[in-house]
Amino acid sequence: MSDPKVKKAKKHNILLIAGAALTLAVLLFTFVGAFYTPRDPDAMNAAEKLLPPTLNHLFGTDKFGRDIFSRVMKGTLSTVSTALLTVLAGGGVGILAGAVTGYFGGKADAVLTRLGDTVTAFPAVLTALLVVSLLGPGGWQVAIALAVAFIPSFMRVSRVSFAGQRRLPYVISARLQGASHAGVMLRHILPNTLPSLLPALTIGFSNAVLAEAGMSYLGIGVTPPDASLGYMLSEAQGMLALAPWYAVSCGAVLLAAVLGVGLLGEGLKDA
Amino acid sequence: MLEIKDLRIRFYTRERDAVGGINLTVNDGEILGLVGESGSGKTVTAMAIGGLLDRAACDVSGQILLDGTDLLTLDSARFRKVRGKTLGVVFQDPSAALDPLMKAGRQAEEALLIHTSMTKKERKAAVLQAFAAVELRDPERVYDSYPHELSGGMQQRVMIAAALVTDPSLILLDEPTTALDAGVQAEILALLKRLNAEKRISMLLISHDLSVVRRACRRVAVMQRGRIVEEGEAEALFSSPAHPYTKRLLEAIPLSRLRR
C-alpha cells in the first residue's frame, strides 16, 4: 500500500545524494584550488603549447602553454566565491526584506514590493551591468552587482512565505506566550519557511554561477590576470579549433557546479 | 480577577458592533463559560483579551481589567509581559497551534524563556512538572517529541501545560475541545476542572457547545449578536432558561448528550 510513497522517497533521495556529491566535489575542487594548483596557472611555456590532455597536463595546455587544469581550478575558485557572495548578500538582504514586508504588510510592504518589481522589470544582467559600471569591474564588484539584481527574487519568495504563515494559529499562539515579532519570525516562521527558501537559495546560486560566467564572458567581470570560468570560456572560444579541451573542461566544471547545486535544491525541496 | 466593563468593539467594515458593550466578570478560581453561536462575538472578545485585535481596523472602547490592569491601555511591549505570564491561552485546534518544527518541550517552555531568567535545566524541570500536571504519561518522551508524533489529546495537553507553566492568574480557553473526539473531550474537560480546583486558576471557557460548558462550568454567560443575553448559575440556566435564545441553543443539543 505504501509502495508508491517509498519509491517516491527513494527517487528524491537519489537527487539529494547525487546533488550533494556533485556539489561536494566542486567545493573540494574549489577549496584545494585556493591553496594548491599543480602548476602556476599563469606561467607560459612555449615548449608545451596546445598539448592535448595527458597525465602530465590533465586538461591539456592552451596556446600559451599554460596548464588548463590549474587554470580551471583557479577559475572555479573565483566563480564559486563570487556566486557564494552573491547568494549570501542578495539572499540575506532579500530574505530579511521579504520577511519584514510579508509579516507586517502595510505601506512599507507596498513600497518595497513595488521597488522590487521595478528592479525585476530589467533583466538581471542589465541591472548587474549598471551596478558594475558604478563600482568598476572586479570579483567582488560583480558579486555585489549580481546580489542587487537577485535581491527581488529572494525577497518575493520570502515575502510570500512569511505572509502565508503570519496568521497561522501557531504564530498567534507564540505571540500569546509573549514572543516578540522578531522572536516569532526567527524562532518559528523562519524554520517553517526553509522548505521554500532553501531551493530559492540553491537556484540563486546556480543562476549566480551562470550570470557571473556570462558577465565575465562579456568582459565585464573579473579582470586579468584573475580568471573565472566565464572569462576562460571566452578565452577558449578563440582557440576552440586548436584546443577544444580548454572549452570542454571549463564548461564541464561549470555544468557540474550548476547541476550539482540544482539537484541538491531539488532534493531538498522534497526531503 | 478578570473584569470586562462595557467592552464595545466595532470593525470599520461592518455595520453592527461585533461586541456591543458587554460586562463580564471571572471571579478568582472560577471557570466561567461563555457560549454563543458563530458570529456572536465570543471569539472577538477573546481576541480583545489576548490583545490580538488589529487596532487600526476596529474601534475598541471599555475596559478589560486583569488583576486590576486595563489591558486595553497597555502598549505592545507591556502587553507582551502580560501574555504568557498572567494570561495563558489555549486554542481550538492544537495541531495547528503548535509549531510543527519545534519539539513540544521547547514550545511549552517558550513563555519561561521569554519571561523568566530560569536556566535551561530549571525550565525543563518546570515543563516536565506541568506535563505531569496535565496527566501526560511519560513526560520525558513528550518533551522530546515533535507535535506530529503526538495524538490530538496529547497535543492539547501540551498546549494547556504551556499555558500553565508560568502560573498565570487566568487561562483563556477558546473552544479547547472542539477539534477533539468525544472521549478525549471529556478527559480534557475533567482535567480543566481538576486543575481549576487544585490550583485555583481562573478560566474563561469559550465554546459554541452548551454541553461542554455545562460539564465544566458553574457559571455561564450566553452571548448573541455581540451582547450577553443571559448569565447565571449553569444548572439554573439549563433547567429553566429565561431567554428564548438560550432555549433555542439548548434545544440544539441532542438529548443523549444532555443526559451525560
Side-chain angles (χ1 to χ4, degrees), chain B residues 139-150:
Chain B
E140 286 274 358
R141 192 181 64 80
V142 175
Y143 186 92
D144 281 320
S145 297
Y146 285 99
H148 71 91
E149 297 169 322
L150 305 172

Side-chain angles (χ1 to χ4, degrees), chain A residues 20 84 120 139 163 176-177 190-191 201 206 233 263:
Chain A
L84 273 181
T120 318
L176 280 172
Q177 290 190 318
L190 187 64
L201 288 175
S206 299
L233 265 177
L263 286 177

Side-chain angles (χ1 to χ4, degrees), chain B residues 6-183:
Chain B
D6 196 30
L7 178 67
R8 201 175 285 275
I9 301 167
R10 185 196 192 106
F11 290 97
Y12 294 133
T13 49
R14 300 283 157 78
E15 284 281 302
R16 185 168 64 79
D17 286 355
V19 175
I22 63 166
N23 291 287
L24 204 63
T25 305
V26 183
N27 296 315
D28 243 327
E30 171 189 54
I31 309 186
L32 175 73
L34 182 60
V35 279
E37 61 196 353
S38 313
S40 60
K42 54 191 196 317
T43 298
V44 178
T45 306
M47 282 169 71
I49 298 170
L52 292 173
L53 289 177
D54 181 0
R55 297 292 279 271
C58 59
D59 196 27
V60 185
S61 67
Q63 285 183 309
I64 301 177
L65 299 166
L66 182 61
D67 290 340
T69 327
D70 186 358
L71 298 181
L72 291 178
T73 61
L74 294 181
D75 57 37
S76 63
R78 278 165 56 216
F79 212 125
R80 274 186 57 204
K81 297 217 171 90
V82 171
R83 289 187 191 133
K85 206 172 184 185
T86 40
L87 174 71
V89 181
V90 175
F91 277 130
Q92 174 170 353
D93 184 356
S95 63
L98 287 164
D99 183 340
L101 295 181
M102 197 182 268
K103 285 178 179 169
R106 275 189 66 206
Q107 291 194 58
E109 69 185 35
E110 183 149 10
L112 293 176
L113 181 77
I114 296 163
H115 298 294
T116 70
S117 53
M118 289 166 98
T119 64
K120 207 174 167 179
K121 238 178 169 171
E122 290 167 340
R123 291 200 302 264
K124 183 169 179 181
V127 166
L128 289 179
Q129 207 181 347
F131 279 179
V134 297
E135 294 161 2
L136 276 166
R137 260 165 260 130
D138 203 353
E140 286 274 358
R141 192 181 64 80
V142 175
Y143 186 92
D144 281 320
S145 297
Y146 285 99
H148 71 91
E149 297 169 322
L150 305 172
S151 70
M154 289 164 92
Q155 288 172 344
Q156 195 60 303
R157 282 168 202 271
V158 169
M159 288 303 292
I160 295 171
L164 214 56
V165 78
T166 48
D167 231 345
S169 37
L170 177 80
I171 296 186
L172 183 64
L173 303 137
D174 190 2
E175 305 270 6
T177 60
T178 308
L180 307 171
D181 64 58

Side-chain angles (χ1 to χ4, degrees), chain B residues 197-227:
Chain B
E198 281 173 12
K199 304 200 178 224
R200 307 282 304 157
I201 301 173
S202 322
M203 301 183 184
L204 177 60
L205 174 63
I206 296 175
S207 179
H208 68 279
D209 189 340
L210 272 177
S211 66
V212 164
V213 166
R214 184 186 195 191
R215 271 186 281 172
C217 313
R218 192 160 298 155
R219 221 156 55 78
V220 176
V222 181
M223 218 171 159
Q224 185 200 18
R225 295 171 65 84
R227 284 167 205 286

Side-chain angles (χ1 to χ4, degrees), chain B residues 182-204:
Chain B
V184 181
Q185 197 171 52
E187 281 174 35
I188 295 283
L189 288 175
L191 170 70
L192 291 175
K193 272 176 93 165
R194 194 177 61 70
L195 288 173
N196 170 257
E198 281 173 12
K199 304 200 178 224
R200 307 282 304 157
I201 301 173
S202 322
M203 301 183 184
L204 177 60

Side-chain angles (χ1 to χ4, degrees), chain A residues 5-113:
Chain A
K5 222 177 169 184
V6 170
K7 257 187 195 155
K8 212 177 164 202
K10 230 178 173 176
K11 196 183 118 214
H12 295 147
N13 225 357
I14 288 173
L15 286 185
L16 196 64
I17 290 168
L22 215 48
T23 307
L24 219 62
V26 171
L27 284 181
L28 191 70
F29 190 66
T30 312
F31 189 71
V32 170
F35 299 103
Y36 166 81
T37 49
R39 311 271 172 125
D40 179 351
D42 297 315
M44 303 188 196
N45 184 345
E48 296 189 322
K49 284 198 295 191
L50 297 170
L51 293 179
T54 57
L55 273 184
N56 210 1
H57 297 283
L58 274 180
F59 289 172
T61 60
D62 66 5
K63 67 177 171 190
F64 304 110
R66 297 179 295 194
D67 179 46
I68 291 177
F69 187 76
S70 303
R71 287 187 66 72
V72 169
M73 275 181 116
K74 198 181 157 200
T76 310
L77 174 65
S78 117
T79 294
V80 168
S81 52
T82 304
L84 273 181
L85 191 60
T86 300
V87 170
L88 282 182
V93 174
I95 287 172
L96 186 69
V100 171
T101 55
Y103 183 81
F104 290 108
K107 272 184 196 138
D109 176 32
V111 171
L112 278 174
T113 305

Side-chain angles (χ1 to χ4, degrees), chain A residues 194-222:
Chain A
L194 278 186
S196 42
L197 290 183
L198 279 180
L201 288 175
T202 57
I203 292 169
F205 179 86
S206 299
N207 286 341
V209 167
L210 289 177
E212 190 278 334
M215 287 178 69
S216 295
Y217 179 84
L218 293 175
I220 49 174
V222 298

